Amino acid sequence: MVSLASSSLSFLSKPSLIFNPIRAIPRISCSLSSNSTPNASSSSSFEFNITFAPPKPKPKSEVEDPFQFIDRNTGGQLFIPWIVRGEDGNLKLQSHPPTRFLHSMSEDETKPKKKKVSAGKPITEPPKHSKAARRFYNENIRESSQRLSKVLAAAGVASRRSSEELIFGGRVTVNGSVCNTPQTRVDPARDIIYVNGNRLPKKLPPKVYLALNKPKGYICSSGKKESKSVISLFDDYLKSWDKTYPGQPKPRLFTVGRLDVATTGLIIVTNDGDFAQSISHPSSGLSKEYIAAIDGDVSKQNLIAISEGTTIDGVHCTPDSVELLPRQPDISRPRLRIVVHEGRNHEVRELVKAAGLEIYSLKRVRIGGYRLPSDLG
């Protein structure tokens, strides 16, 4: 170790000397002048050799910098240039990575890690179809489970009330066991159902909606004993069912609501129980329009009496509207257009009777928004 307290190293003042941190300086020859000793001569010089030890390797940190490269031989840092395209469109060299590269690296590091799923919980895949497509499939294509009595009625076995009697009588089996509960949920496509020893078809018949111009003298009953039933008018239609719709079970048709024997006009025939219930029930509020031919003259007092309503089965019923139609040359009797919505039994006839009039003929021409076609015989 040499004390340089009062000495000046001439090489430190030379600007031409440059230190290279990568390579060690092997040997430097220096001159030293000293005036510290008063008895010495005015100027004396001596030479000595200075060597620098190689730099110690830096300790590796736990997290290494991905952009710092160390020379294995010397331990110095190597600068690797980046070739980037500048804003002017030309290529240039720079010592640091591009800004967009650093941003992408930072975004990858800050992304949340995926949560580990335990082995007991299955991984749910995203749905393959949209929500609207799945709703359409569930409402129109998929056949969900239904009540046993409803399935029997839809399959054409009997009416819903008669189907319940068959179930209570132990004449219906589901998957080999006798079922005595009409509310049992079943699926015809999966469950094996027998009624009186006959296998119920897996596929239910399609929904059928028919408009009939009911003639006079026919009753609205689906009983087989009735010779002049409205359903008997569809015998030819049902006989040709297998040829028209091969492979489809025959539907069990019934009327929506009732018209008495003497009343003619529009009546809906279907095999859809829910549809029939929504139309025929008074809570639906569907208006029904009738044309009544009256025996005798109709005065203004008669129209006021009809519009005031009458009591039927303990309930006061009033029509929505009453109108005297203009006379026609080919029709001698006066006609009334009466619109009701409650659908009570014989409601129109009771309204006209309470006003002191007598009905010659009664015809229904509209249910809700559906009017009887004029060309339907």
Side-chain angles (χ1 to χ4, degrees), residues 85-284:
R85 188 177 297 277
E87 297 179 356
D88 54 357
N90 298 326
L91 297 176
K92 62 179 181 179
L93 298 177
Q94 63 183 28
S95 59
H96 56 83
T99 306
R100 62 179 181 273
F101 181 77
L102 295 176
H103 288 174
S104 62
M105 291 289 292
S106 62
E107 290 177 0
D108 291 342
E109 292 177 358
T110 56
K111 283 183 178 179
K113 296 182 180 180
K114 295 181 179 180
K115 296 182 179 181
K116 295 182 180 180
V117 182
S118 58
K121 297 181 180 180
I123 301 176
T124 57
E125 297 182 356
K128 297 181 180 180
H129 303 284
S130 64
K131 187 177 181 179
R134 285 182 276 124
R135 185 188 301 112
F136 178 83
Y137 172 80
N138 293 332
E139 294 179 356
N140 299 275
I141 300 176
R142 183 179 178 183
E143 294 182 358
S144 58
S145 60
Q146 301 176 3
R147 297 190 303 272
L148 180 57
S149 58
K150 184 177 180 180
V151 170
L152 296 182
V157 175
S159 64
R160 189 171 299 187
R161 183 175 300 178
S162 300
S163 298
E164 293 178 356
E165 294 177 358
L166 292 174
I167 295 171
F168 289 134
R171 300 163 67 179
V172 180
T173 61
V174 179
N175 297 327
S177 302
V178 177
C179 182
N180 296 321
T181 307
Q183 293 79 15
T184 303
R185 310 291 294 188
V186 295
D187 187 355
R190 299 180 181 179
D191 299 324
I192 302 175
I193 304 173
Y194 277 87
V195 181
N196 293 329
N198 298 322
R199 172 72 182 273
L200 196 72
K202 292 185 177 180
K203 192 173 183 180
L204 294 178
K207 303 298 182 182
V208 178
Y209 308 91
L210 303 170
L212 174 68
N213 187 0
K214 175 188 172 298
K216 189 176 182 179
Y218 285 80
I219 64 173
C220 296
S221 176
S222 57
K224 296 181 180 180
K225 296 181 181 180
E226 304 294 341
S227 59
K228 298 193 67 174
S229 171
V230 169
I231 304 303
S232 64
L233 298 173
F234 295 91
D235 290 342
D236 295 338
Y237 172 76
L238 295 176
K239 288 179 180 178
S240 62
W241 177 269
D242 295 334
K243 295 182 180 180
T244 309
Y245 306 99
Q248 297 284 352
K250 288 183 180 181
R252 190 193 67 85
L253 301 178
F254 53 86
T255 59
V256 179
R258 293 178 180 272
L259 290 177
D260 54 53
V261 180
T263 304
T264 62
L266 177 63
I267 189 168
I268 305 298
V269 179
T270 182
N271 63 336
D272 190 347
D274 296 334
F275 172 76
Q277 178 70 11
S278 62
I279 292 181
S280 59
H281 199 273
S283 61
S284 63

